[in-house]
């Protein structure tokens, strides 16, 4: 693990959810237990693990959208107790506001932050151009392709320059080609920026291709099973990641460890 | 920076592609014009056939006393305009409906917003709202005339009540339909409560609100007219009920016709306003789009 100073720390985090439903059948269940983690500044860290293991929950806790039942999340040394507007947050859905044009969507966070119109226009033009969306400024989201919407969601977060970017399966709904292209664009935007990325995914190839570190979660109730340093250098060529000499052995190990978590569930062993 | 999956506009500068682009555009425009023309012609044809059948059937197959005749109705409308000052009466009816509409809509919107943003208040008030909503609101008209007299105020009140509940309930439904993820993302971006309401919650609710605003245009008119029926000495409702008293069927139809035109115009206005507010919405497809 890196020796860089941690920007996010999870200390003894537990999370109990209560299923909303009919009052008498309301059940509590443990989503996360005993989670301890430190994410160093400037690193690209991926969370992987079986479905429902609580990795998105942990991400939402860092964003301050969900509070731990016990334990605490520290962000830059201070406990997270309210919505963390210091971070960027990108979800599986692009969540563009359908009633705003591409440019208005990209400028949304700047509006919330009270940036003046001229400065907004200038910044948004730069970012829109950076991902090749110029010419589409006045299109509404429904007039854009999935990949274009995803780029818009990406730059609308980057535009306010958050130190930490939280991504919850951002490329999940995309087709395989667009996905790799966007992974490549993401890496290019990120490299040298000094930003910390926390990236939730189900795709081990994606996690390996992008990350410095991979955090493997156990099946529910989730806890951290293992943290891996990815043995691939930078910069990376995501298009040829499978051909990297270190890839097969590392991927194999990762998959074996994850498989234990998935298979046990399917066999009903616990 | 990677490969683009869509060509930027203006990239088709190559002459053949450019020409093709223009041709298709022209074709599309011509097709548009054609379809607009067909719609207009179709409407005209429909009106002519309908009125023609009426004219012919009246007095031959149906007793003219009950259904009158388009030609007589037009004559009667003309007489109404000249002799009975139709526009004078129309003015009162329109003012009643319009003022009632605005009061009801604004009250419904504001109260809907206030209630829907607080879960507790909403839960407390909900059954009462639903109860009041269930009252046939027309039944309140006599009460309002008792309260506000036979002047214009009581009709405004009836129209406002007709509008209020529908806008109110739709506003609440719309606000509660705002997707949680959009709210979360906006929150992390640093949106304040006011930002959320103005930039996320309100636009998310517009489809519901617009629908309510459209539905309630005729409702406001109904409120005004019913109020006039019950007790008044002015307004188109008064003219109609007087014509009915004199067994003047053409006059009755003439009054109805005047109302129909007014409601159509009001609807046109609110629809174009709604289309403007909803310009971000994917167009509802028609058959040609999915062939």
């Amino acid at each position: 693990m890196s020796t860089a100073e941690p920007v996010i720390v999870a200390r003894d985090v537990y999370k109990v959810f209560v299923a909303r439903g009919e009052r008498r059948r309301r059940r509590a269940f443990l989503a996360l237990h005993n989670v301890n983690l430190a994410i160093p500044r400037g690193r690209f860290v991926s969370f992987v693990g079986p479905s429902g293991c609580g990795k998105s929950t942990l991400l939402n806790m860092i964003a301050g959208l969900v509070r731990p039942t016990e334990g605490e999340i520290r962000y830059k040394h201070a406990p997270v107790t309210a919505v963390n507007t210091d971070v960027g947050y990108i979800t599986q859905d692009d969540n563009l506001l359908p009633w705003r044009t591409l440019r208005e969507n990209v400028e949304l966070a700047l509006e919330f932050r009270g940036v003046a119109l001229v400065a907004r226009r200038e910044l948004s033009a730069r970012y829109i151009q950076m991902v090749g969306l110029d010419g589409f400024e006045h299109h509404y989201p429904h007039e854009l392709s999935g990949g274009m919407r995803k780029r818009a969601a990406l730059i609308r977060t980057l535009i306010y320059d958050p130190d930490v970017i939280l991504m919850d399966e951002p490329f999940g709904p995309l087709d395989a080609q667009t996905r790799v292209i966007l992974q490549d664009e993401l890496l290019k935007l990120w490299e040298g920026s000094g930003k910390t990325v926390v990236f939730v995914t189900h795709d081990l190839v994606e996690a390996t291709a992008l990350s410095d570190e991979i955090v493997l979660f156990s099946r529910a109730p989730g806890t951290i099973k293992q943290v891996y340093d990815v043995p691939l250098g930078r910069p990376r060529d995501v298009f040829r990641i499978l051909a990297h000499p270190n890839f097969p052995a590392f991927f194999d190990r990762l998959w074996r460890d994850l498989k234990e978590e998935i298979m046990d569930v399917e066999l009903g062993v616990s | 920076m990677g490969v683009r999956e869509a060509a930027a506009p203006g990239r088709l500068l190559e002459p053949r592609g450019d020409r093709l682009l223009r041709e298709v555009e022209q074709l599309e425009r011509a097709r548009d014009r054609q379809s607009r023309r067909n719609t207009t012609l179709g409407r005209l044809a429909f009106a002519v056939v309908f009125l023609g059948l009426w004219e012919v059937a009246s007095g031959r197959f149906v007793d003219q006393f009950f259904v009158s005749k388009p030609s007589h109705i037009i004559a009667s409308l003309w007489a109404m305009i000249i002799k009975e000052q139709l526009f004078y009466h129309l003015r009162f009816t329109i003012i009643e409906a319009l003022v009632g509409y605005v009061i009801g809509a604004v009250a419904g919107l504001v109260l809907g917003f206030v209630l829907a943003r607080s879960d507790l208040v909403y839960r407390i008030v909900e059954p009462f709202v639903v109860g009041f909503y269930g009252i046939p609101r027309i039944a309140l008209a006599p009460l309002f005339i008792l309260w506000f007299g036979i002047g214009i105020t009581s009709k405004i009140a009836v129209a406002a009540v007709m509008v209020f509940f529908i806008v109110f309930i739709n506003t609440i439904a719309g606000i509660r339909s705002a997707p949680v993820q959009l709210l979360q993302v906006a929150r992390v971006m640093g949106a304040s409560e006011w930002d959320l309401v103005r930039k996320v919650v309100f636009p998310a609710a517009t489809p519901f609100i617009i629908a309510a605003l459209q539905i309630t245009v005729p409702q406001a008119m109904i409120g005004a007219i019913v109020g006039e029926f019950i007790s008044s000495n002015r307004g188109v409702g008064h003219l109609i009920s007087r014509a009915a008293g004199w067994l003047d069927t053409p006059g009755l139809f003439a009054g109805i016709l005047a109302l129909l035109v007014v409601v159509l115009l009001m609807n046109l206005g609110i629809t174009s306003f709604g289309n403007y507010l909803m310009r971000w919405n994917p167009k509802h497809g028609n058959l040609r789009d999915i062939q």
Side-chain angles (χ1 to χ4, degrees):
Chain A
M1 261 211 234
S2 162
T3 50
E5 138 193 51
V7 60
I8 298 159
V9 176
R11 197 177 293 153
D12 296 326
V13 168
Y14 285 73
K15 180 67 194 178
V16 175
F17 277 117
V18 180
R20 288 249 188 155
E22 217 183 303
R23 199 172 314 154
R24 259 172 240 145
R25 274 197 243 139
R26 208 165 276 183
R27 275 246 177 82
F29 63 92
L30 191 60
L32 284 171
H33 70 107
N34 195 27
V35 172
N36 284 286
L37 181 69
I39 296 176
R41 187 180 295 273
R43 301 215 102 194
F44 199 122
V45 178
S46 287
F47 291 177
V48 299
S51 292
C53 68
K55 43 194 195 302
S56 294
T57 304
L58 187 59
L59 199 77
N60 286 340
M61 283 180 183
I62 300 170
L65 293 167
V66 173
R67 307 250 178 294
T69 312
E70 254 176 35
E72 83 176 345
I73 306 278
R74 297 181 82 84
Y75 177 83
K76 292 185 180 170
H77 307 298
V80 177
T81 55
V83 175
N84 186 351
T85 56
D86 205 40
V87 301
Y89 180 68
I90 298 176
T91 60
Q92 184 165 9
D93 296 325
D94 49 64
N95 282 323
L96 299 173
L97 301 181
W99 44 86
R100 285 181 161 238
T101 61
L102 169 65
R103 181 169 74 187
E104 289 167 348
N105 263 298
V106 170
E107 291 178 3
L108 187 62
L110 300 181
E111 280 180 40
F112 291 154
R113 281 147 205 269
V115 177
L117 182 72
V118 180
R120 271 200 329 249
R121 283 290 127 87
E122 201 179 305
L123 264 176
S124 66
R126 198 160 83 221
Y127 276 87
I128 286 171
Q129 212 223 334
M130 204 186 282
V131 291
L133 285 176
D134 31 334
F136 293 96
E137 288 88 347
H138 301 292
H139 286 55
Y140 285 100
H142 79 268
E143 298 167 319
L144 303 171
S145 73
M148 292 157 90
R149 283 203 296 269
K150 199 43 101 181
R151 287 191 182 93
L154 195 62
I155 57 173
R156 129 182 126 158
T157 306
L158 293 176
I159 199 167
Y160 63 91
D161 201 26
D163 288 344
V164 173
I165 301 170
L166 309 174
M167 307 179 94
D168 192 352
E169 294 193 60
F171 305 143
L174 299 175
D175 66 86
Q177 283 153 32
T178 309
R179 215 179 144 118
V180 181
I181 291 165
L182 277 168
Q183 288 168 357
D184 179 57
E185 289 186 19
L186 173 64
L187 276 191
K188 285 187 175 132
L189 289 169
W190 168 75
E191 259 159 26
S193 70
K195 293 186 190 309
T196 312
V197 177
V198 185
F199 192 98
V200 171
T201 179
H202 277 108
D203 180 347
L204 297 185
V205 178
E206 181 172 68
T208 310
L210 299 178
S211 320
D212 299 313
E213 281 174 32
I214 295 178
V215 178
L216 177 67
F217 282 66
S218 75
R219 65 174 178 276
T223 188
I224 291 169
K225 194 179 174 190
Q226 181 118 36
V227 179
Y228 308 83
D229 273 321
V230 178
L232 309 176
R234 301 265 183 202
R236 286 184 199 166
D237 182 358
V238 289
F239 297 101
R240 302 185 27 87
I241 203 73
L242 299 179
H244 194 286
N246 292 346
F247 182 84
F250 177 73
F251 182 80
D252 224 41
R253 188 174 146 219
L254 200 58
W255 175 234
R256 227 179 18 242
D257 292 348
L258 176 64
K259 205 162 83 177
E260 279 174 23
E261 298 302 320
I262 303 172
M263 293 310 179
D264 277 5
V265 171
E266 280 176 4
L267 295 172
V269 179
S270 60
Chain B
M1 174 124 1
V3 185
R4 308 271 162 258
E5 72 217 274
R11 196 169 290 187
L12 282 167
L13 284 175
E14 176 233 345
R16 197 171 151 203
D18 208 33
R19 184 173 50 80
L20 209 60
L21 207 65
R22 250 157 255 251
E23 275 173 22
V24 170
E25 266 175 14
Q26 248 158 31
L27 203 71
E28 197 61 20
R29 259 183 237 131
R31 214 181 265 166
D32 261 11
R33 268 198 303 275
Q34 172 108 45
S35 96
R36 264 203 303 274
R37 201 167 49 225
N38 286 348
T39 313
T40 315
L41 286 177
R43 281 176 185 163
L44 270 175
F46 185 86
V48 166
V49 169
F50 179 76
L51 292 175
L53 281 179
W54 189 355
E55 184 77 33
V56 170
S58 173
R60 289 203 179 85
F61 311 110
V62 196
D63 190 339
Q64 194 182 329
F65 173 75
F66 292 113
V67 297
S68 188
K69 225 179 213 217
S71 53
H72 290 189
I73 292 170
I74 297 296
S76 182
L77 188 65
W78 185 244
M80 231 184 207
I81 292 171
I82 308 268
K83 278 193 244 151
E84 302 194 60
Q85 298 174 295
L86 175 65
F87 289 120
Y88 167 79
H89 289 284
L90 206 52
R91 209 178 72 209
F92 282 102
T93 306
I94 291 176
I95 288 174
E96 289 158 8
L98 223 57
V99 174
Y101 179 79
V102 170
I103 292 177
V106 169
L109 268 172
V110 171
L111 232 73
F113 258 93
V114 172
L115 279 197
R117 292 301 292 161
S118 158
D119 225 34
L120 180 65
V121 178
Y122 175 72
R123 276 209 306 271
I124 293 173
V125 189
E126 193 196 3
F128 298 98
V129 171
V130 172
F132 283 123
Y133 183 59
I135 300 173
R137 274 144 289 149
I138 285 296
L140 296 173
L143 189 66
F144 285 163
I145 287 178
L146 202 68
W147 285 353
F148 302 115
I150 65 162
I152 197 169
T153 323
S154 54
K155 283 83 181 178
I156 290 175
V158 181
V161 169
M162 296 293 290
V163 173
F164 170 77
F165 279 100
I166 296 176
V167 173
F168 178 64
I169 291 206
N170 267 41
T171 303
I172 291 178
I175 286 168
R176 298 177 82 79
S177 79
V180 175
Q181 275 208 333
L182 289 188
L183 294 171
Q184 285 187 333
V185 167
R187 251 293 145 73
V188 175
M189 283 181 176
S192 66
E193 182 71 19
W194 172 235
D195 278 332
L196 279 188
V197 168
R198 205 158 49 109
K199 293 179 176 166
V200 183
V201 174
F202 181 74
T206 43
F208 291 77
I209 295 170
I210 294 295
L213 290 181
Q214 281 172 345
I215 294 167
T216 48
V217 168
Q219 298 279 326
M221 192 50 99
I222 292 172
I225 293 293
V226 168
E228 289 174 358
F229 278 173
I230 292 175
S231 159
S232 71
N233 47 19
R234 286 182 301 215
V236 181
H238 171 67
L239 284 187
I240 293 177
S241 87
R242 202 170 56 180
W246 292 341
L247 304 182
D248 171 16
T249 329
L252 239 163
F253 274 110
I256 292 172
L257 189 65
L259 290 181
L260 187 144
V261 171
V262 171
V263 169
L264 265 182
L265 287 179
M266 282 166 79
N267 235 327
L268 209 67
I270 197 75
T271 303
S272 55
F273 177 62
N275 284 344
Y276 171 73
L277 279 185
M278 296 277 292
R279 64 201 182 284
W280 51 272
N281 214 25
K283 291 288 161 289
H284 317 290
N286 59 35
L287 270 179
R288 200 158 65 77
D289 291 332
I290 53 170
Q291 263 164 18

